[in-house]
Amino acid sequence: MRTIAIAAGGDSPEYGVSVNSAAEVSKALSSRYNTYIIIIRGDNWYWEDPKGRCFSIDKNDFSLKLDDRKLKFDAVFIAIHGTPGENGLLQGYFDMLKIPYTSCGAFCSALTFNKHATKLYLKEYGIPMANSILIRKGEKADSKTILARMGLPCFVKPNDSGSSFGVSKVKKEEEFFPAMEKAFAESNEVLIESFMDGREVACGVVKTGEKKIILPVTEIIPKNEFFDYESKYTPGKSEEITPAPLNEKLTGEIQQLSSTINDLLGCKGIVRVDFIIVKGKPLFLEINTVPGMSAESIVPRQAAAAGIELEDLYSMVIEDLFKS
């Protein structure tokens, strides 16, 4: 039986979401693998046993120092949302150690974690999306000029953060600078994006050397003004309908676009692509290369709707790592 580390935690505000994801992944995989949830928080990397005792990770080779032995892992299932698990840092570390892992590679992870860079990259291939402007910390932002170009309402969001932390919907000019301040608290770069008035949808994609699975599309209907953190993780604060109530043609278009975006970016493992449908046309919103895997997350629900067991889905990406 292979021994799999499930990397969890991280240094972003999504720490709790990641720990929940890891617990669900471990539960799904426990009948096929020996799984260890490894918490990574700053320079504190450890495994906690059922008695609550903590054992540290030797970062020289990512081995686990137990009482009587040193445990090495066959592969790592990355379940860290945000830094260092979704932005390429952990991927680069595992690349150097030659330890296989389930997510996108270092370059792809770094690119896709940067919303602005991803949009510029995909724009070259004609992927439809909203207009946006990037402002870096320390740069002077002229609200009048920016809002004349972006229009009101617009979204102000950190360029490299997940779970909608630091995101604001700006409806009046006087809300612009407080929104910028909120976003800069999460990142050194802020993305200002034109408001897309439409329906939000998401589509999971899983591709291995042997299989290609494009999951059913989910429509997200938040009770709040947009799909913010509360809507994502508070039961009853959003309605997520899978499969989305869309006609066959539009569903197919979203699935095809998700598959194309996955391939253009060179993604690996399990990803989720988000869109806003405006006047019957899906516009790219963002891509998540380590999407949530907790019980209330979108991808597990899409797998259930497709009749796919999570145990099979997660095993598929792990086993793909051992095929040359």
Side-chain angles (χ1 to χ4, degrees):
M1 199 184 263
R2 298 191 199 276
T3 301
I4 306 297
I6 301 168
D11 301 323
S12 81
E14 294 179 275
Y15 175 90
V17 180
S18 168
V19 171
N20 288 341
S21 286
E24 293 297 321
V25 171
S26 179
K27 199 160 72 178
L29 291 175
S30 57
S31 66
R32 296 190 192 181
Y33 305 94
N34 295 314
T35 61
Y36 290 79
I37 295 175
I38 306 299
I39 299 294
I40 292 176
R41 186 77 156 166
D43 60 4
N44 192 18
W45 298 20
Y46 64 91
W47 171 68
E48 189 177 333
D49 76 1
K51 294 177 183 170
R53 297 183 303 160
C54 291
F55 296 85
S56 64
I57 286 283
D58 182 346
K59 298 188 197 73
N60 292 304
D61 59 1
F62 197 69
S63 61
L64 183 58
K65 295 186 279 189
L66 299 172
D67 287 334
D68 56 346
R69 65 199 166 103
K70 181 173 175 164
L71 181 71
K72 289 208 161 191
F73 299 104
D74 295 305
V76 182
F77 191 109
I78 296 180
I80 294 176
H81 315 304
T83 188
E86 203 170 359
N87 59 358
L89 297 181
L90 213 49
Q91 286 81 359
Y93 165 76
F94 289 132
D95 284 341
M96 287 195 294
L97 293 177
K98 296 184 169 49
I99 297 172
Y101 52 87
T102 56
S103 78
C104 299
F107 172 73
C108 177
S109 298
L111 171 65
T112 53
F113 197 63
N114 185 310
K115 293 179 175 72
H116 182 64
T118 304
K119 290 181 72 165
L120 287 177
Y121 183 91
L122 291 175
K123 208 176 263 187
E124 286 295 305
Y125 294 96
I127 300 297
M129 62 188 74
N131 290 328
S132 58
I133 295 173
L134 184 78
I135 305 286
R136 293 190 172 91
K137 199 171 261 187
E139 281 181 6
K140 200 167 185 292
D142 181 336
S143 60
K144 278 192 168 43
T145 308
I146 290 168
L147 295 177
R149 188 170 149 194
M150 291 295 105
L152 283 170
C154 66
F155 276 101
V156 173
K157 56 177 83 168
N159 190 36
D160 54 2
S161 178
S163 283
S164 300
F165 283 106
V167 178
S168 303
K169 184 178 178 182
V170 172
K171 299 182 200 166
K172 300 181 288 199
E173 190 183 339
E174 53 265 36
E175 295 170 351
F176 179 77
F177 285 112
M180 291 285 284
E181 206 173 309
K182 184 180 171 184
F184 274 131
E186 301 290 338
S187 171
N188 287 325
E189 295 182 334
V190 168
L191 194 67
I192 300 139
E193 202 166 57
S194 291
F195 174 62
M196 293 180 276
D197 190 8
R199 300 162 71 181
E200 184 165 352
V201 294
C203 181
V205 178
V206 190
K207 293 191 184 185
T208 66
E210 293 174 357
K211 264 190 179 170
K212 175 175 96 170
I213 298 173
I214 313 300
L215 291 165
V217 177
T218 297
E219 180 171 10
I220 300 150
I221 306 167
K223 300 280 165 71
N224 292 357
E225 244 197 293
F226 63 96
F227 198 40
D228 58 8
Y229 183 84
E230 187 184 38
S231 302
K232 284 178 180 174
Y233 302 109
T234 308
K237 282 288 183 181
S238 72
E239 195 182 349
E240 290 160 19
I241 308 164
T242 311
L246 305 169
N247 65 51
E248 206 176 314
K249 183 177 177 291
L250 186 53
T251 298
E253 195 180 335
I254 291 162
Q255 289 178 311
Q256 183 53 56
L257 207 46
S258 300
S259 176
T260 300
I261 288 167
N262 178 89
D263 295 352
L264 287 173
L265 292 165
C267 296
K268 269 178 27 189
I270 302 166
V271 306
R272 195 190 81 231
V273 192
D274 299 348
F275 302 90
I276 304 284
I277 302 168
V278 180
K279 294 176 182 165
K281 189 179 175 66
L283 303 183
F284 173 75
L285 182 61
E286 64 177 21
I287 184 166
N288 294 272
T289 57
V290 184
M293 299 293 173
S294 61
E296 59 273 8
S297 296
I298 291 169
V299 166
R301 289 181 179 186
Q302 291 179 346
I308 302 166
E309 295 288 338
L310 289 179
E311 180 181 356
D312 295 330
L313 191 71
Y314 300 158
S315 297
M316 189 177 110
V317 296
I318 289 171
E319 288 308 313
D320 189 52
L321 301 173
F322 302 103
K323 289 170 184 155
S324 52

